[in-house]
Amino acid sequence: SSFLLLCFRSPLVTPLIFGLLLQAPLTQLSTITQPNFVLLLADDLGIGDVGCYGNDTIRTPNIDRLAKEGVKLTQHIAAAPLCTPSRAAFLTGRYPLRSGMAAINDYRVIFWNAGSGGLPPNETTFAKILQQQGYSTGLIGKWHQGVNCESRNDHCHHPLKHGFDYFYGMPFTLISDCQPTETPEMDRAFRRKLWLSTQMIGLITLTAVLGRLTGLISVRWKALTCLAGFSLLFFVSWFSSYGFVRYWNCIMMRNHGITEQPMVTDRTTSLVLRESISFIERNKHKPFLLFLSFLHSHTPLLTTEKFLGRSRHGLYGDNVEEMDWMVGQVLDAIDKEGLKDTTLVYFASDHGGWLERQEGKRQLGGWNGIYKGGKAMGGWEGGIRVPGIFRWPGVLPAGTVIDEPTSLMDIYPTLVHLAGGTVPQDRVIDGRDLLPLLRGMVAHSEHEFLFHYCGVHLHAVRWHQKDTGAVWKAHYVTPNFSPPRAGACYDRGFCPCSGEGVTHHEPPLLFELSQDPSEAKPLSADTQPLFGTVIRKIGRAIEEHRRTLTPVPEQLSVSNVVWKPWLQPCCGTFPFCWCDKEGDN
């Protein structure tokens, strides 16, 4: 047994073992030039929602088939626990605070299509490099990286400015406001405060007018007119944005043109699938990148009638099963065009499931399996550990499971390398080329440390001690669950990154994830002899990491996040923005 252990730990022997186990030899990479890439990214999907990751009640046969025919990663980590920063890191291969896409304030994602923040034009996405290498590049679905900077049509943050030849989808993200029958979701608590303030100001104004008319109070009509004008101005100032969220944010675009404003949600799924398959068919004779960025499984959980009531987990389960069907349709299109052996398919989620998303007794968010926490929590595993699956028949060994720390940022250098390009040399790239690990040519991930941020705040750090196989994780900041010990911030709807809603730990909470993946039993100097050594090692890594950071403009500052009428994408003459070009067709 000791001999076997020695063999398995040797990076020279691992490829030999893989070769013996496989029925067919792996293709030499030198014979493959520029494979196609199909990237399938789910939205808010929990790692516990997928069959091949342990779920036995939600049916995901197509995603499970990808894992059976390819490589499944069990420690695949998002660079952030929310959509905008995680996707920025995915596209650039860099921690989001390097591009200014990490927030100092509570506005941690792009909030409006008419905000001025977004993925900076000077960032180089993998799509841009693949485009330079002769690839046809398409993005279908969700963007959520901003649209404009200074004018309604400058499109400085638009997908077409970031290396995509073709875009069809939402420049924003799905929210419940997009579905007229659903309870509004966007900035719900803030909206309640604004509405309450409006009512109070209106009541004061009405009381003053009645008092003046009845002679109970002595106040000039001019003052009352000013008060009434202020009340009206206050109401218009916020209702002009929040009162029309569906028109401002819930739009569909094809390239730079708006096709639906507001979007017609009943047909969104079929249009996204149709566009994805059409892109494959149009580009089958040359190398292509298709980034299918699903609107599933984000609320309001748009689900066609065919899938309603099919799962054992209500509307959320129905939605996940429909997404799995869409995955199957895309895989069938690849097979139909004879592209299976020349196409690398990747499936993942942008971050963990949203535990707090509930309406009454309905659970509308995902499940993160055995892992603590969820969406918006920068440190706990449930917010950042996601499914990660690669399939490339004949090149990647089928049915392989890799339990090594990897990151969504690793997609960047992996794709660039396979396309024959080179990663930018003028900036730090935090991702690592995964191909040697995926093919079994090396035993360990190149990542020694991974840094887990919540906005700009460093919450936790992971250290992969390769000589022992231990995966240490130190938490410096954790959110305060509400109610206490509830496992999420149900009273808030989201866990915060800083302020009164978090606890700072000195010394940090320490876990050994290979022994305690649920982060249930923090270690101490009394229970773990290596405690001090590990904390010091991680502390030095943080110092070294921080030396690589340089100041950049904050894309998610309040001034960049707020709604700006002059930046609002509009199909028509602002403010009369409405069109349905899909319906016209």
Side-chain angles (χ1 to χ4, degrees):
S1 60
S2 59
F3 173 75
L4 284 173
L5 278 172
L6 184 63
C7 286
F8 273 101
R9 285 180 178 176
S10 169
L12 296 174
V13 177
T14 304
L16 177 62
I17 294 170
F18 273 128
L20 291 172
L21 290 175
L22 292 173
Q23 292 182 347
L26 297 181
T27 305
Q28 288 295 317
L29 212 57
S30 58
T31 65
I32 301 167
T33 57
Q34 294 194 315
N36 306 309
F37 302 111
V38 175
L39 311 180
L40 308 170
L41 192 65
D43 197 2
D44 284 21
L45 180 74
I47 192 171
D49 294 325
V50 184
C52 58
Y53 283 90
N55 192 305
D56 58 3
T57 56
I58 296 179
R59 293 164 295 189
T60 56
N62 295 294
I63 299 171
D64 298 346
R65 172 160 61 104
L66 276 178
K68 186 178 179 181
E69 297 176 355
V71 179
K72 182 178 78 170
L73 305 175
T74 61
Q75 287 192 64
H76 202 41
I77 308 299
L82 283 174
C83 307
T84 295
S86 173
R87 290 161 182 269
F90 176 71
L91 288 160
T92 63
R94 292 151 51 81
Y95 286 108
L97 79 167
R98 295 195 192 278
S99 58
M101 296 292 276
I104 291 178
N105 52 57
D106 290 337
Y107 291 96
R108 294 156 58 189
V109 298
I110 300 288
F111 256 71
W112 298 96
N113 279 325
S116 54
L119 191 63
N122 63 353
E123 286 294 325
T124 303
T125 66
F126 56 70
K128 189 172 287 185
I129 297 179
L130 266 60
Q131 192 180 51
Q132 294 166 355
Q133 294 299 117
Y135 274 71
S136 293
T137 55
L139 168 61
I140 313 294
K142 170 175 173 172
W143 176 236
H144 210 192
Q145 298 293 302
V147 183
N148 299 312
C149 288
E150 297 177 355
S151 67
R152 184 166 291 129
N153 295 310
D154 66 28
H155 297 125
C156 69
H157 302 305
H158 191 277
L160 269 58
K161 282 286 178 70
H162 281 293
F164 291 100
D165 299 314
Y166 184 75
F167 169 60
Y168 177 81
M170 287 192 77
F172 192 58
T173 180
L174 263 186
I175 47 176
S176 291
D177 305 68
C178 298
Q179 192 85 307
T181 57
E182 293 289 321
T183 305
E185 172 186 332
M186 189 172 148
D187 242 355
R188 188 183 298 185
F190 185 51
R191 260 199 268 193
R192 284 199 198 104
K193 292 177 182 177
L194 289 171
W195 186 243
L196 182 62
S197 300
T198 301
Q199 290 175 312
M200 291 179 64
I201 294 171
L203 185 62
I204 291 170
T205 304
L206 183 61
T207 303
V209 170
L210 290 173
R212 175 69 173 82
L213 289 172
T214 58
L216 293 175
I217 58 173
S218 177
V219 61
R220 293 182 179 180
W221 283 111
K222 185 177 181 180
L224 289 175
T225 303
C226 290
L227 183 58
F230 172 76
S231 302
L232 182 62
L233 189 63
F234 177 76
F235 174 71
V236 170
S237 69
W238 69 265
F239 194 77
S240 60
S241 56
Y242 285 108
F244 298 91
V245 169
R246 185 164 162 254
Y247 285 84
W248 301 154
N249 279 347
C250 304
I251 68 175
M252 298 291 284
M253 297 182 76
R254 178 175 286 107
N255 296 326
H256 290 142
I258 298 172
T259 59
E260 297 176 0
Q261 189 170 15
M263 65 193 293
V264 182
T265 54
D266 290 346
R267 61 181 178 226
T268 303
T269 297
S270 61
L271 289 175
V272 165
L273 182 58
R274 185 189 74 184
E275 289 281 346
S276 301
I277 293 173
S278 175
F279 183 85
I280 293 171
E281 292 171 346
R282 290 197 310 271
N283 294 285
K284 60 186 176 184
H285 296 303
K286 64 180 295 189
F288 66 82
L289 161 71
L290 170 61
F291 177 17
L292 172 48
S293 178
F294 287 104
L295 303 179
H296 297 59
S297 50
H298 199 293
T299 50
L301 301 173
L302 300 184
T303 309
T304 56
E305 190 173 345
K306 176 183 174 184
F307 285 89
L308 289 176
R310 283 186 37 163
S311 81
R312 292 161 57 184
H313 285 277
L315 183 58
Y316 182 82
D318 299 343
N319 193 255
V320 173
E321 291 192 5
E322 180 174 58
M323 179 183 64
D324 178 80
W325 170 77
M326 294 174 72
V327 170
Q329 294 295 299
V330 172
L331 296 181
D332 288 348
I334 293 170
D335 291 349
K336 178 186 172 186
E337 301 300 338
L339 302 172
K340 184 174 180 178
D341 293 342
T342 55
T343 302
L344 175 63
V345 179
Y346 168 74
F347 178 85
S349 177
D350 56 355
H351 51 70
W354 190 359
L355 301 179
E356 297 94 343
R357 189 66 179 97
Q358 301 172 331
E359 291 290 350
K361 293 184 179 181
R362 288 199 305 164
Q363 176 63 34
L364 300 179
W367 184 52
N368 301 312
I370 64 171
Y371 304 108
K372 181 182 289 187
K375 177 178 178 175
M377 304 183 209
W380 295 120
E381 286 292 282
I384 54 177
R385 192 185 289 221
V386 298
I389 303 171
F390 289 84
R391 188 194 75 173
W392 189 359
V395 178
L396 303 183
T400 304
V401 178
I402 295 178
D403 188 26
E404 290 280 312
T406 58
S407 170
L408 267 72
M409 296 184 291
D410 297 338
I411 302 307
Y412 187 98
T414 305
L415 265 58
V416 168
H417 167 70
L418 286 169
T422 55
V423 298
Q425 302 299 308
D426 60 346
R427 65 199 67 191
V428 176
I429 300 296
D430 298 297
R432 298 291 180 264
D433 184 358
L434 282 178
L435 203 63
L437 181 68
L438 296 175
R439 302 197 81 212
M441 309 307 292
V442 298
H444 295 297
S445 158
E446 283 190 46
H447 291 289
E448 184 177 9
F449 297 95
L450 284 171
F451 302 90
H452 306 309
Y453 282 90
C454 188
V456 298
H457 308 279
L458 184 64
H459 274 206
V461 180
R462 175 186 316 248
W463 173 34
H464 182 208
Q465 193 176 2
K466 298 179 185 180
D467 56 343
T468 67
V471 180
W472 306 97
K473 189 170 167 200
H475 288 262
Y476 294 88
V477 183
T478 56
N480 300 331
F481 293 147
S482 54
R485 295 183 295 279
C489 301
Y490 292 101
D491 293 349
R492 290 173 174 262
F494 269 121
C495 284
C497 294
S498 59
E500 297 178 357
V502 303
T503 297
H504 294 261
H505 301 281
E506 182 55 49
L509 300 179
L510 183 66
F511 300 91
E512 210 280 80
L513 296 181
S514 64
Q515 302 295 322
D516 181 20
S518 300
E519 299 173 288
K521 300 173 182 177
L523 304 170
S524 66
D526 296 330
T527 61
Q528 174 51 254
L530 294 174
F531 183 89
T533 303
V534 172
I535 296 303
R536 286 192 294 274
K537 176 81 172 179
I538 292 176
R540 288 193 293 271
I542 293 172
E543 291 175 8
E544 188 175 329
H545 166 68
R546 284 179 170 156
R547 283 196 289 270
T548 70
L549 303 177
T550 54
V552 292
E554 296 172 35
Q555 296 299 321
L556 301 179
S557 64
V558 174
S559 60
N560 276 331
V561 165
V562 296
W563 184 71
K564 301 178 177 68
W566 59 93
L567 297 184
Q568 178 61 52
C570 183
C571 190
T573 303
F574 185 84
F576 304 104
C577 304
W578 182 91
C579 65
D580 181 6
K581 296 179 182 178
E582 297 292 351
D584 295 342
N585 292 335

